[in-house]
Amino acid sequence: MVSAKRPPSPAAAGAAGALAARQLTALVVARATSCAGFFAVLPYLGLWLVDTQGLSGGSAGLVVGSSILANRAGAVLLIPLIHRLGLKASVVTGYVGAVTFFAVLGMGLRLAVLGWLVLAALVGLFLALATTAMKALVAALPAGQRLRGFSYLNMAVNAGSALGPVIGGQLLHWHASWLPLSAAVLHLAALAAVPALPGTWRRSQRPGPAAEGSGRRWLVRRRFVVFSLLACGTWVAYAQAVDVLPAYLGDTVDARDLGLVFTLNAVMVVALQVPMSWLSRRVLDAPRGGFGILWAAAGAVLAASVLLFAWGRSIGLGLVLAAMALFTLSELVWSPLYDAQVSERRGPLSLPAAYALAGVASGAAESVGAWLGTLLVVGRSGTGLLSPAAAPYWAAAALALLTSLAMAWDTRSSSAEPPNAHEGEGNDHDMDVSARA
């Protein structure tokens, strides 16, 4: 006789909870140590190449730029490899490559500029492979856990990017030749956490229809394109607060005090990301809530913070700190929400392809915003909110608000469309998509 199915015991429920906690811990450890390793080297790579390898400033800048470009946009070239290896194996491959080439960088070789450029680009490519695959792993979680997973990733990124420059700065002072080797060691720690990540090692053997071939993995739908383009406004505003701010405030706020401003950002993210994620999920699930309302609120706070940054030139550090607090509250909402929405709006795109293309769009928007902002603030006099140097911040605030309104409008106009996130995927990373787009 077959007994009736019983609900899970408290012990079983506790075991499931412990497994989820172990997976989240692995996500945080792997992503934080990887970011710490990358940012221990990246801010000082140009200086290290000039002082220890004898490169010119222009050549060192070219090497650093190659690593950044490969890291931000290189994942598009690696999508076939990610599909062939699977997500978890791609994370391992990415970290193994990072360990290898960081170690080669630290071997004391004497290379031409082209050799350093290739090594730095390979580091960026392998880290792009691991980062894209890890985002796809989180996106493959059940819909109710996806935003939480991306929130933990955002927390880990900020913790690692805050710790990395501290490690790199100390090593550059104590023993400069150890700088790349420290990144290799930190990526070994990230590699050790990979077995506990969510997901399986084996790829699904389930056959898909003929129409769901590899070509459809690159079929981009209007819904995904519109979202990616609209989000570019937010990334341009982000660039003014992160990339342009040191140049804008350079004459009025001491560089050491600016370090405190960015430390505040990192500390707030680590301390508040989890409770803010809980609040975001409540808003998403509320009868009158949803993605449009949440993004609009985050965009309004982002716009206010950007305007306060513009005013910081005339008022000083206290206002800049207040602006960074507001900016961080906004980032705690829209940054993980952006990653989660990439998954939900991808249509027939595979998960790795969706995150690779989204990374190209966001990286291009941030780069253009940083370039234009720096061009407009450097050498411009004036400290008032209406000074010419504040123009990029007014433009960024307007973009943040317009992006929020456009996102809310796009959500309402597409709410009647049937979900299509599973279409054409045909692998073991399919997921349930939340009805609230």
Side-chain angles (χ1 to χ4, degrees), residues 119-428:
L119 284 177
L122 285 171
V123 166
L125 277 174
F126 275 101
L127 289 179
L129 175 69
T131 299
T132 302
M134 186 173 290
K135 284 189 174 184
L137 272 176
V138 175
L141 293 172
Q145 300 179 28
R146 201 174 303 138
L147 182 60
R148 184 186 183 202
F150 281 121
S151 298
Y152 273 83
L153 278 188
N154 189 44
M155 179 175 65
V157 167
N158 279 272
S161 60
L163 179 63
V166 175
I167 296 174
Q170 291 297 324
L171 285 176
L172 199 65
H173 177 69
W174 291 337
H175 205 301
S177 63
W178 291 353
L179 188 63
L181 296 178
S182 69
V185 171
L186 286 165
H187 280 90
L188 278 175
L191 190 61
V194 171
L197 291 175
T200 60
W201 292 102
R202 294 181 301 173
R203 299 177 61 212
S204 173
Q205 301 301 317
R206 183 180 61 201
E212 297 179 352
S214 59
R216 288 180 62 82
R217 289 170 172 165
W218 290 99
L219 182 59
V220 183
R221 289 287 173 84
R222 172 190 172 278
R223 189 169 180 246
F224 180 81
V225 173
V226 169
F227 171 75
S228 298
L229 292 178
L230 289 179
C232 285
T234 303
W235 286 106
V236 170
Y238 172 88
Q240 310 313 307
V242 174
D243 304 308
V244 180
L245 191 65
Y248 178 70
L249 297 176
D251 294 335
T252 55
V253 177
D254 185 78
R256 184 172 51 187
D257 292 334
L258 273 178
L260 293 176
V261 172
F262 289 106
T263 299
L264 173 66
N265 172 257
V267 169
M268 284 185 65
V269 169
V270 173
L272 298 179
Q273 184 65 81
V274 172
M276 285 298 291
S277 299
W278 175 85
L279 181 60
S280 295
R281 289 196 299 273
R282 293 290 298 270
V283 174
L284 285 172
D285 295 335
R288 295 187 179 181
F291 164 75
I293 295 294
L294 193 57
W295 193 286
V301 175
L302 174 61
S305 70
V306 168
L307 287 180
L308 288 180
F309 279 128
W311 216 353
R313 233 188 192 191
S314 57
I315 295 182
L317 180 63
L319 187 65
V320 175
L321 288 170
M324 182 55 77
L326 275 181
F327 171 81
T328 306
L329 290 175
S330 169
E331 183 189 8
L332 289 169
V333 174
W334 68 259
S335 182
L337 188 62
Y338 171 80
D339 283 329
Q341 286 292 309
V342 168
S343 168
E344 297 199 3
R345 293 168 181 257
R346 63 192 170 96
L349 276 173
S350 68
L351 286 169
Y355 284 101
L357 292 174
V360 171
S362 62
E366 184 183 350
S367 298
V368 170
W371 174 68
L372 284 174
T374 303
L375 181 68
L376 293 173
V377 304
V378 171
R380 301 271 180 159
S381 59
T383 58
L385 191 60
L386 299 178
S387 67
Y393 289 88
W394 279 101
L399 272 175
L401 287 176
L402 289 174
T403 297
S404 301
L405 293 174
M407 286 288 195
W409 176 263
D410 180 64
T411 300
R412 287 197 298 268
S413 64
S414 62
S415 59
E417 295 180 7
N420 59 4
H422 298 273
E423 183 180 349
E425 183 65 11
N427 62 26
D428 60 342

Side-chain angles (χ1 to χ4, degrees), residues 32-61:
T33 51
S34 174
C35 280
F38 185 62
F39 284 102
V41 173
L42 184 67
Y44 310 107
L45 180 58
L47 180 63
W48 181 78
L49 288 170
V50 170
D51 289 348
T52 67
Q53 305 301 326
L55 269 65
S56 67
S59 298

